[in-house]
Amino acid sequence: MQTHKRPRTRAACMRTTLALAVLQASNALAQSATLEPVLITADPLDRNLLDLQRPVSVLRGDALLLREATNLGDTLGRELGVQSSAYGPGAGRPIIRGMDSARVRITESGLGVADVSGASPDHRVAADTLNARQVEVLRGSATLLYGSGAIGGLVNIVSERVPRLRASVFGAQATLRASTAERERAGAVDLNGPLGTAASWRIEGFKQRTSDYDLAAPLRDAAGDVIAADRLPNSQTDTQSAALGASWFGPQGRRIGVAVQRYESDYGIPNPEEPVTIELRRDRYELHGDHAVAFGPFTGLRSKFAYTDYKHTEFEPSGEAGATFTNRGLEGRVELPHAALAGWRGVVGVQLSQNSTRGAGEGELPKVEAQQAALFVVEERSFGRVRAEFGARVEREAYDVKESYADGTRAPSRDFSLFTLSAGAGWRFAPAWEATLTLTAGQRAPAVEELYFVGAHPATFAYEVGDPNLKKEQSTNLDLGLRYVEGPWRAQANVFVNRVRNYIYGFFDGTTTDLLDDNGNVEETFSNLFFTQADAQLRGGEAELAYGERTGVQARLWGDTVRARLTSGDNRDGNLPRISPSRLGLDLGWRADAWSATLFVTRVFKQDKVSSFDLRDGVPESATPAYTRVDFGLAWRLPVPSVSAPLTLFVQGRNLTDEDIRVHTSFLKDIAPPPGRSVVVGFRAAI
């Protein structure tokens, strides 16, 4: 057993939120369940949802409003292949096909969010969807386009802060909503208009607050004693954002735009043993530029740059500041679409970034400066009924360690040369049918926290020990898909196999570390979590069938599953911990001209494929029981004189059966279940 002296700080906690309306249930159902031709901005070839061969989901408009929750993971939690890390209402990161943290990249309009949410499940994603145009989810490897941090998938929040189109008249939209279980009060506003004859401006912002939420049943500890009778302590959130942007438009598709945003979130971590709160602040500055005039072999140029200054501080119940994480990041991306060459059309791109990350408190993450430089190319061509695509990316990531640990030792700096190759094809073998096949071989550099973090991390109940000698991961992902689009019917199915060499994972080995106070007494004991490597395989599938006309019955049947295990090393054939359980969902609705209603039923099956080697407090991971969740939405659209857009009033029921739910992917599954029954009411108005 190791002993370490504990600094006079504590850990921290957080709370979070997201909020804004649920609405137009049937419109939302139609948009989310079908494969309509929506432009995917994360794709450099400007393809729509029906043209992409890799599995993609899009939430936009009423569908996005209907799904918005208090964190990004919960907002996307009903998308195919996506679940949430569910670390209380303030922090929930998307998990895609069983992969999370450093393997799922979160971007805003194609540029990294530049927070530290990948370092720990209690860290909030420093971006929300309340003012977003749409959210895009790329399932499977997106390393070709967005680097090694997207080896498991990509979530791209499409922001309108930098105006894309010239506004001719003033426009505004406002949304308000409130809920019962969470005591939520939320509002968002978007304003935009012309600035002279060649420019447009935009102002946007939101404010959302929740209180400790209602529980479906009294919360008990392992001994059966009641921890919380009616509400979950320290589950409150308070989040707000304000942004200002403008774009100038020139002839022949020229545009230059800028934006600045201030984002703040204070939220609680509902951990009875360590009820800390987290104060998060992020400032972001963006510069976008387009040049649609051909030059040389290229048909134009698209560029975007962002500088982000991020900081969060974790506060103990006494108000004393504990751990502090900072990240200052600069990222740029330039894409050059080229003219057709022998029938091939494509894009050449460059991506550059630099980040300075540091963490101090009970655990240590010495200051590390990370640099990334990448060159990529994507090409596609049609051969009759077959569409072929290939791409390649070369990337270099370097970590320069600038500080020593408290004991005077210094970890080695590292650099990695990474390569990605992808090839795919889509075959339209019948008018309404297409089969797709995509093979991607990609590599991932270890994340900063996997290499260098050492120390206590109360959020995960662990004393975490990084390994500065970790090797890069090498992933081979095969994705086979089938989809059907005909009239009101939509269907899609995907199966995948992802084999990863040198898969990096953290596991509890059964040993512990004591933290001592200034008098040498044991103040706290943590289970040791070590980062290590072995080969792994993840396989699974997802499918959905949807039906819906403009009016009348709307229906969607969907499901997904993933299986993840190690295939080498001391824990060979062992299940990876906290893997997403299988799910089956049914959405039934009716849409009329002035109203719509939808019933959502989701069955989450028992997860008993648990890890036997993950020994937290000497106890292996436990199975999580199945549950059925029922939600309902009802909306009325009321015409307003002299206004083109109707006023929409909505009511939503969440967890109508008051189910006592446990989320298997969460470190807090036994002490922070989701809220009980809740009613949401609100309205949206636009001019």
Side-chain angles (χ1 to χ4, degrees):
M1 181 181 295
Q2 302 171 324
T3 61
H4 292 264
K5 192 166 187 175
R6 180 176 182 173
R8 297 187 67 87
T9 58
R10 282 189 200 169
C13 163
M14 186 175 165
R15 83 198 247 243
T16 242
T17 173
L18 201 47
L20 203 89
V22 296
L23 110 106
Q24 262 191 254
S26 59
N27 278 347
L29 177 61
Q31 290 180 10
S32 63
T34 64
L35 300 175
E36 60 179 13
V38 177
L39 182 69
I40 306 300
T41 66
D43 178 60
L45 293 179
D46 291 331
R47 291 173 291 189
N48 63 48
L49 197 60
L50 293 174
D51 291 333
L52 282 176
Q53 295 170 17
R54 66 184 70 246
V56 180
S57 299
V58 178
L59 275 177
R60 62 197 294 263
D62 294 341
L64 179 57
L65 288 173
L66 182 64
R67 301 283 184 85
E68 280 175 330
T70 56
N71 59 67
L72 184 62
D74 289 348
T75 296
L76 302 176
R78 284 175 55 83
E79 291 301 292
L80 287 179
V82 183
Q83 297 192 36
S84 174
S85 59
Y87 208 90
R93 209 173 191 275
I95 299 172
I96 300 179
R97 292 179 168 180
M99 290 193 173
D100 61 355
S101 301
R103 297 182 182 87
V104 174
R105 182 165 167 81
I106 311 294
T107 62
E108 282 190 291
S109 298
L111 297 177
V113 173
D115 57 15
V116 295
S117 64
S120 175
D122 68 316
H123 297 175
R124 177 182 177 85
V125 176
D128 279 304
T129 63
L130 300 179
N131 297 120
R133 175 161 59 96
Q134 64 187 41
V135 183
E136 303 160 353
V137 181
L138 276 66
R139 305 191 299 277
S141 177
T143 54
L144 176 65
L145 303 177
Y146 290 94
S148 70
I151 199 168
L154 174 80
V155 175
N156 183 42
I157 302 170
V158 182
S159 167
E160 292 280 10
R161 286 194 292 270
V162 180
R164 296 175 304 110
L165 302 173
R166 183 184 306 168
S168 57
V169 297
F170 172 78
Q173 179 172 286
T175 306
L176 293 176
R177 90 171 187 192
S179 69
T180 57
E182 305 86 355
R183 278 76 171 171
E184 181 185 47
R185 295 85 70 197
V189 63
D190 299 284
L191 306 173
N192 64 86
L195 189 64
T197 59
S200 296
W201 59 269
R202 181 178 177 86
I203 297 174
E204 65 179 36
F206 70 87
K207 173 71 173 180
Q208 186 268 354
R209 299 185 68 178
T210 66
S211 302
D212 292 348
Y213 61 73
D214 291 345
L215 293 165
L219 186 63
R220 301 178 183 273
D221 60 18
D225 297 328
V226 175
I227 301 174
D230 51 3
R231 297 188 189 180
L232 185 66
N234 209 41
S235 60
Q236 77 287 349
T237 68
D238 188 354
T239 303
Q240 58 191 7
S241 172
L244 172 65
S247 290
W248 288 262
F249 300 88
Q252 297 179 306
R254 295 185 177 93
R255 177 183 70 109
I256 184 168
V258 296
V260 58
Q261 182 206 28
R262 173 71 169 183
Y263 180 93
E264 302 176 349
S265 185
D266 301 326
Y267 60 96
I269 298 297
N271 176 0
E273 299 179 8
E274 200 73 34
V276 297
T277 57
I278 294 181
E279 180 183 277
L280 182 159
R281 303 291 182 265
R282 188 190 79 151
D283 295 319
R284 186 174 176 94
Y285 308 88
E286 296 180 71
L287 171 66
H288 294 194
D290 297 330
H291 181 77
V293 179
F295 60 98
F298 304 108
T299 59
L301 178 149
R302 300 187 294 263
S303 64
K304 57 186 70 173
F305 303 87
Y307 173 76
T308 304
D309 187 353
Y310 171 94
K311 179 180 180 179
H312 91 236
T313 304
E314 305 180 358
F315 291 93
E316 301 183 18
S318 65
E320 181 182 2
T324 298
F325 288 84
T326 61
N327 186 59
R328 292 180 177 88
L330 176 65
E331 183 175 352
R333 185 179 179 92
V334 178
E335 298 174 352
L336 296 165
H338 65 73
L341 299 173
W344 292 89
R345 76 180 190 103
V347 172
V348 177
V350 176
Q351 184 178 346
L352 304 170
S353 69
Q354 180 171 342
N355 289 273
S356 178
T357 308
R358 187 176 188 270
E362 291 178 316
E364 291 183 83
L365 179 62
K367 182 179 179 181
V368 179
E369 291 188 354
Q371 295 182 333
Q372 177 200 71
L375 174 68
F376 62 88
V377 59
V378 182
E379 302 288 334
E380 77 161 7
R381 182 182 175 181
S382 294
F383 298 89
R385 293 186 176 183
V386 176
R387 295 181 296 119
E389 175 190 319
F390 81 88
R393 179 185 178 102
V394 291
E395 181 177 344
R396 183 179 181 273
E397 291 198 29
Y399 299 136
D400 187 4
V401 180
K402 295 294 187 180
E403 293 178 339
S404 299
Y405 293 105
D407 62 4
T409 61
R410 178 174 291 202
S413 298
R414 300 288 304 276
D415 65 85
F416 301 89
S417 296
L418 308 171
F419 182 74
T420 299
L421 184 66
S422 179
W427 175 34
R428 297 187 183 276
F429 59 90
W433 293 89
E434 183 176 34
T436 61
L437 178 68
T438 302
L439 177 65
T440 302
Q443 298 176 325
R444 180 179 82 90
V448 169
E449 60 275 7
E450 294 169 336
L451 292 168
Y452 301 120
F453 186 89
V454 175
H457 201 158
T460 55
F461 314 96
Y463 190 92
E464 298 183 10
V465 182
D467 183 352
N469 299 309
L470 292 172
K471 302 175 183 178
K472 62 186 177 184
E473 289 183 351
Q474 301 184 63
S475 169
T476 302
N477 187 86
L478 179 65
D479 207 302
L480 177 64
L482 179 67
R483 61 190 177 200
Y484 173 84
V485 180
E486 180 70 23
W489 289 97
R490 306 286 189 272
Q492 64 171 317
N494 296 92
V495 294
F496 63 89
V497 177
N498 192 2
R499 295 180 176 175
V500 186
R501 184 178 177 186
N502 297 323
Y503 182 89
I504 301 170
Y505 67 102
F507 78 102
F508 296 94
D509 71 343
T511 63
T512 60
T513 292
D514 292 335
L515 298 185
L516 307 181
D517 61 20
D518 290 341
N519 298 319
N521 299 316
V522 176
E523 189 173 22
E524 212 164 351
T525 299
F526 287 98
S527 296
N528 292 329
L529 184 146
F530 294 91
F531 285 97
T532 187
Q533 290 183 288
D535 297 344
Q537 178 178 275
L538 295 91
R539 67 181 190 273
E542 57 252 350
E544 67 178 353
L545 172 65
Y547 173 87
E549 297 275 14
R550 190 186 69 83
T551 60
V553 173
Q554 313 289 310
R556 176 193 181 216
L557 177 65
W558 62 276
D560 54 35
T561 186
V562 62
R563 182 85 164 85
R565 62 184 183 87
L566 298 173
T567 57
S568 72
D570 295 338
N571 300 311
R572 181 172 181 171
D573 294 326
N575 299 310
L576 288 170
R578 291 171 294 281
I579 292 299
S580 308
S582 301
R583 302 179 300 175
L584 185 64
L586 176 63
D587 307 341
L588 289 174
W590 185 276
R591 181 170 59 195
D593 291 333
W595 63 273
S596 57
T598 307
L599 181 70
F600 305 92
V601 181
T602 306
R603 178 65 175 177
V604 179
F605 295 98
K606 178 181 179 180
Q607 179 56 291
D608 55 6
K609 303 295 190 297
V610 295
S611 172
S612 60
F613 59 82
D614 194 58
L615 303 173
R616 191 167 70 190
D617 297 327
V619 179
E621 181 186 22
S622 62
T624 304
Y627 64 87
T628 300
R629 174 166 172 156
V630 181
D631 303 290
F632 179 75
L634 180 64
W636 298 268
R637 292 170 296 281
L638 306 176
V640 179
S642 304
V643 176
S644 58
L647 172 68
T648 301
L649 306 176
F650 57 89
V651 178
Q652 185 183 30
R654 295 179 173 176
N655 191 11
L656 289 176
T657 58
D658 211 22
E659 185 87 355
D660 187 17
I661 294 171
R662 295 295 185 270
V663 180
H664 185 78
T665 55
S666 174
F667 273 91
L668 302 181
K669 71 172 184 175
D670 295 321
I671 58 177
R677 182 186 298 112
S678 184
V679 177
V680 183
V681 296
F683 74 87
R684 184 184 66 178
I687 60 172

